Amino acid sequence: MKLEEFDYELPENLIAQTPLKERCTSRLMILNKTTGKTEHKHFFDIINYLDKGDILVINDTKVIPARIIGEKEETKATIELLLLKDLGNNTWECLSRPFKRLKVGTKITFGNGELKAEVIEKKEEGIVCVKLIYKGILLEILETLGQMPLPPYIHEKLEEKERYNTVYAQNLGSAAAPTAGLHFTKEVLNKLKEKGIIIVNVTLHVGLGTFRPVEVENIMNHHMHSEYYEMDEKTANILNEAKKEGRRIIAVGTTSTRVLETIMQKFHQFQECKGNTDIFIYPGYQFQAIDCLITNFHLPKSTLIMLISAFAGRENVLNAYKEAVKESYRFFSFGDAMFITNKNN
């Protein structure tokens, strides 16, 4: 399967640079994955498309202000680190820039010395492992020194850090937001609960894969980086009961989807577990866990558009994207949403 099969034309002015004032006022495209038909709504209309007894699965990961800019102690050269994965004992895997200026033993100072880092391992593709040196609580230091790690296609400054987190974010550890969840407000979530929709949490800490484009011509040669996930017993029991009773499981985002499909592939049922997943979903994949999917509009040639193409059909997805461009939908992280469903309302 060729990379170019997942390409589409996108005018640059449709890439959303800032979040809307009200999260739930973003637009919502309804895509029927069976017929390919679309409808145009707003995100607050999602309530009308979910039924009593449906299970909504959200990713409760929380983005940390993981982008830190400092200078080499020896030369004062500017160094940027993006903290990706906590390896324990104050050791972190980071994306670094400029990678060539770093070597094992390089020391970097951030702020007025409240935080320092020493490179202890140099890997490939810009990745280094560093030992962090600080006094106090790391998160409090990052709140002062760090910036939200916005994707490179966003050029505007984010005025409010919390807008790059969902309203239900609680488990710290992500280097990027699970963006499908950014559209939910507490009011929308409460209305869903009042209607009888059951909301359960999983966790997937979004990592390096979000920042890595697919660069191989044959997508099956693409290497997915692993990301940490977990599911608790309560969530597993609710999902297993829903499966048994034929009720719909609706994933909020590709991150939740990857957790659910990973667990179902591994155990053939849902169960309490934690681990790392490098699951790569592209057309031909047989979904075992989810029935519907709430997602954003994704980058051309990305693993995310491949996943939704696997779920809804590549032609359906590309036709829907063409329509979204025509209708001036907002794309990517701060953009509009799509609900891929298996039935007509």
Side-chain angles (χ1 to χ4, degrees):
M1 195 162 283
K2 302 297 183 187
L3 182 59
E4 63 191 26
E5 295 177 48
F6 300 92
D7 197 9
Y8 66 91
E9 292 291 327
L10 179 68
E12 195 171 336
N13 67 301
L14 295 184
I15 300 173
Q17 293 296 314
T18 55
L20 295 176
K21 187 176 181 181
E22 295 291 333
R23 292 174 184 258
C24 66
T25 58
S26 56
R27 296 172 74 185
L28 176 69
M29 178 183 282
I30 311 296
L31 171 62
N32 185 307
K33 72 189 189 83
T34 305
T35 64
K37 289 184 178 177
T38 58
E39 298 176 66
H40 304 290
K41 302 290 180 179
H42 287 90
F43 193 79
F44 50 73
D45 294 316
I46 192 70
I47 297 158
N48 301 324
Y49 289 85
L50 303 191
D51 301 324
K52 182 179 180 180
D54 283 346
I55 313 296
L56 192 70
V57 185
I58 59 177
N59 180 8
D60 64 8
T61 190
K62 189 170 186 178
V63 184
I64 57 178
R67 182 171 174 253
I68 49 177
I69 299 171
E71 55 183 34
K72 285 174 70 175
E73 289 190 357
E74 309 156 3
T75 64
K76 306 301 180 187
T78 299
I79 301 292
E80 179 181 321
L81 296 181
L82 176 57
L83 305 179
L84 291 174
K85 187 184 290 185
D86 184 354
L87 303 175
N89 298 317
N90 290 322
T91 303
W92 283 75
E93 184 178 87
C94 305
L95 189 60
S96 62
R97 191 169 63 178
F99 181 62
K100 289 180 179 177
R101 289 190 182 175
L102 299 178
K103 60 185 179 182
V104 173
T106 297
K107 293 178 180 176
I108 310 157
T109 299
F110 302 92
N112 294 315
E114 303 100 307
L115 178 65
K116 296 185 178 184
E118 181 177 350
V119 178
I120 59 174
E121 185 181 356
K122 194 169 181 183
K123 299 185 174 182
E124 296 178 342
E125 300 178 306
I127 300 295
V128 295
C129 293
V130 302
K131 182 83 171 180
L132 297 181
I133 303 145
Y134 58 92
K135 289 181 180 178
I137 299 169
L138 178 60
L139 183 61
E140 291 180 359
I141 295 168
L142 291 176
E143 286 289 349
T144 303
L145 296 179
Q147 302 172 30
M148 281 304 203
L150 297 178
Y153 49 76
I154 292 178
H155 308 298
E156 296 285 331
K157 185 180 178 184
L158 182 63
E159 297 299 333
E160 302 168 271
K161 284 183 180 178
E162 69 270 16
R163 290 307 306 271
Y164 196 53
N165 267 312
T166 62
V167 295
Y168 46 75
Q170 59 183 25
N171 282 328
L172 284 163
S174 263
T179 55
L182 294 178
H183 306 279
F184 285 93
T185 61
K186 290 181 178 176
E187 183 184 13
V188 168
L189 291 168
N190 286 335
K191 285 183 177 179
L192 289 169
K193 289 175 185 174
E194 288 168 9
K195 190 174 178 178
I197 286 92
I198 299 157
I199 302 172
V200 298
N201 296 21
V202 296
T203 302
L204 183 134
H205 292 322
V206 188
L208 180 63
T210 295
F211 299 91
R212 285 289 179 220
V214 179
E215 295 176 334
V216 292
E217 188 179 341
N218 183 342
I219 67 166
M220 284 172 275
N221 294 330
H222 176 67
H223 170 62
M224 289 283 285
H225 287 79
S226 69
E227 295 167 315
Y228 175 81
Y229 72 90
E230 57 185 57
M231 175 184 286
D232 63 25
E233 184 180 11
K234 182 182 176 183
T235 292
N237 290 340
I238 291 170
L239 290 170
N240 283 327
E241 188 178 346
K243 272 289 179 195
K244 196 190 313 180
E245 296 175 358
R247 289 182 284 123
R248 295 192 302 176
I249 294 173
I250 300 160
V252 177
T254 57
T255 59
S256 298
T257 300
R258 293 180 69 233
V259 174
L260 297 173
E261 293 296 329
T262 293
I263 294 170
M264 188 61 87
Q265 267 198 3
K266 191 171 183 180
F267 302 109
H268 307 292
Q269 65 174 3
F270 299 107
Q271 69 179 54
E272 181 180 14
C273 59
K274 60 180 70 172
N276 291 286
T277 180
D278 60 359
I279 190 171
F280 180 20
I281 298 174
Y282 52 85
Y285 177 84
Q286 297 299 310
F287 285 82
Q288 300 175 48
I290 71 167
D291 299 294
C292 304
L293 173 61
I294 297 171
T295 189
N296 274 26
F297 290 88
H298 302 294
L299 275 74
K301 300 181 178 181
S302 65
T303 60
L304 306 181
I305 197 171
M306 292 170 194
L307 185 153
I308 64 164
S309 294
F311 185 65
R314 189 179 68 88
E315 285 190 17
N316 286 343
V317 168
L318 291 179
N319 287 337
Y321 272 49
K322 190 179 291 184
E323 190 174 340
V325 169
K326 183 182 172 186
E327 296 292 330
S328 298
Y329 273 66
R330 302 166 80 245
F331 279 67
F332 307 163
S333 295
F334 288 137
D336 295 318
M338 174 186 281
F339 178 47
I340 305 173
T341 181
N342 56 354
K343 68 169 197 167
N344 292 313
N345 269 55

